[in-house]
Amino acid sequence: MLDLFLGNFFSAPVLFFVLGMLAVAVRSDLEIPAPMPKLLSLYLLFSIGFHGGVKLEQGDMNLQIVLTLLAAVLLAFIVPVYCFFILRLKLSLANAAAVAAAYGSISAVTFVTADAFLASTGKSYGGHMVAAMALMESPAIIVGVLIVRLNASKGGGGKVKWGELLREACFNSSVYILLGSLLIGLITGEAGYKDLKPFSDGIFKGVLCFFLLDMGLVSARRISGLLEQGWVPWLFGILAPPINGMIGIGVAWLLGLSHGDALMLAVLAGSASYIAVPAALRLAIPEANPGLYLPMALAITFPFNIIVGIPLYDVVISKVLST
């Protein structure tokens, strides 16, 4: 077990993330030019989506896949609801709903890091898990907004521009490139994979390392803002991932998923959004504090998952699926 944790920590992607955080700690002038992180993010989502589509083309749709997708969507609705009631004990209505929405949604970069982890251990997962990731990103946003509107006073709630919100939630750049690449991979299949392999596969891990270097820089800078928020964000940001991840593992066990699929479902359930949800919540819940829900997801939960969470879920899955 210790070897697995150490192996993950000393893997190149995680070490580049740590390198980025250390750069902030020692006040290095290291900087990734502004357009680059967005390009790297889109590349990673393209690669994951395309590979997922190719895998789907090679397999058959069956009842287990359908149930897995339904379970993923159900998790995206349930997690923000129970998180809200816990957070509401210490946070305002708007902040509790916003944080709950972030933790009910997913982190695509954590999913990508888990993909690299599985590849390093020789395990694989089904292409339908990429579709599950795309389906899980938006429901939590809608749940968070509904919670605020249902609980707000009659005069203070305001109107939600649902059309604009749904467009932002369902067709933001992350979801669009992911689903688009998935569809193209499904259409082109093995022939398309062979054509794009040098680009979609050959440079994937190098791009991931460079992207995580930037994520380390951003995460370290966000931590300082959380120091003013007290102990609640830190406690929730560390405890929520393993709790939600274990719920995902329980669902995977009930559905009889493979090791790789179970790990990906646990990662999706245990991660938190710091891209799609904050962008949508700026429109829908402007009274929520982005200095709370954004750094919680990015500076606490994201590092926890890529350093501790992924190998932890892997160990638990090995125990659960072997019984």
Side-chain angles (χ1 to χ4, degrees), residues 220-258:
R221 289 167 185 153
R222 293 284 184 179
I223 285 177
S224 59
L226 278 177
L227 297 177
E228 305 168 0
Q229 303 291 341
W231 58 270
V232 173
W234 293 89
L235 186 63
F236 187 85
I238 292 172
L239 292 181
I243 292 173
N244 291 336
M246 296 309 152
I247 292 173
I249 291 172
V251 172
W253 176 77
L254 289 173
L255 294 173
L257 301 188
S258 68

Side-chain angles (χ1 to χ4, degrees), residues 10 13 213 228 277:
F10 288 107
L213 173 66
E228 305 168 0
V277 168

Side-chain angles (χ1 to χ4, degrees), residues 60-310:
D60 295 322
M61 183 66 69
N62 54 45
L63 180 61
Q64 186 185 59
I65 290 177
V66 173
L67 291 176
T68 301
L69 295 177
L70 289 174
V73 173
L74 189 61
L75 279 172
F77 278 105
I78 292 174
V79 169
V81 172
Y82 96 79
C83 285
F84 169 77
F85 286 107
I86 295 173
L87 290 161
R88 190 68 180 94
L89 298 173
K90 292 292 182 179
L91 301 179
S92 69
L93 171 65
N95 284 332
V99 173
Y103 280 80
S105 188
I106 58 93
S107 163
V109 182
T110 309
F111 187 94
V112 172
T113 308
D115 173 273
F117 174 85
L118 279 176
S120 70
T121 60
K123 301 183 183 76
S124 62
Y125 62 95
H128 61 282
M129 296 309 300
V130 179
M133 172 171 59
L135 291 171
M136 289 180 74
E137 188 162 32
S138 301
I141 298 171
I142 296 163
V143 170
V145 175
L146 284 174
I147 287 172
V148 170
R149 298 308 170 223
L150 290 173
N151 286 274
S153 61
K154 291 181 180 180
K159 289 186 178 180
V160 181
K161 296 180 180 179
W162 287 104
E164 192 174 353
L165 174 64
L166 290 172
R167 184 196 63 77
E168 178 65 37
C170 300
F171 294 103
N172 65 75
S173 61
S174 299
V175 173
Y176 188 80
I177 191 68
L178 190 65
L179 289 178
S181 301
L182 181 77
L183 181 60
I184 292 171
L186 185 61
I187 293 171
T188 59
E190 187 65 26
Y193 176 71
K194 288 180 180 178
D195 289 339
L196 291 178
K197 186 176 181 181
F199 179 70
S200 67
D201 201 14
I203 65 172
F204 178 83
K205 198 161 188 178
V207 172
L208 175 61
C209 289
F210 203 71
F211 183 72
L212 287 179
L213 173 66
D214 179 67
M215 294 301 298
L217 291 168
V218 176
S219 298
R221 289 167 185 153
R222 293 284 184 179
I223 285 177
S224 59
L226 278 177
L227 297 177
E228 305 168 0
Q229 303 291 341
W231 58 270
V232 173
W234 293 89
L235 186 63
F236 187 85
I238 292 172
L239 292 181
I243 292 173
N244 291 336
M246 296 309 152
I247 292 173
I249 291 172
V251 172
W253 176 77
L254 289 173
L255 294 173
L257 301 188
S258 68
H259 188 111
D261 288 354
L263 179 65
M264 288 310 200
L265 187 60
V267 166
L268 290 173
S271 62
S273 171
Y274 49 82
I275 298 175
V277 168
L281 293 186
R282 280 202 301 267
L283 297 171
I285 315 178
E287 61 269 35
N289 179 14
L292 180 65
Y293 58 81
L294 180 55
M296 281 180 67
L298 179 58
I300 301 177
T301 295
F302 176 70
F304 175 88
N305 270 326
I306 68 167
I307 296 172
V308 178
I310 293 172

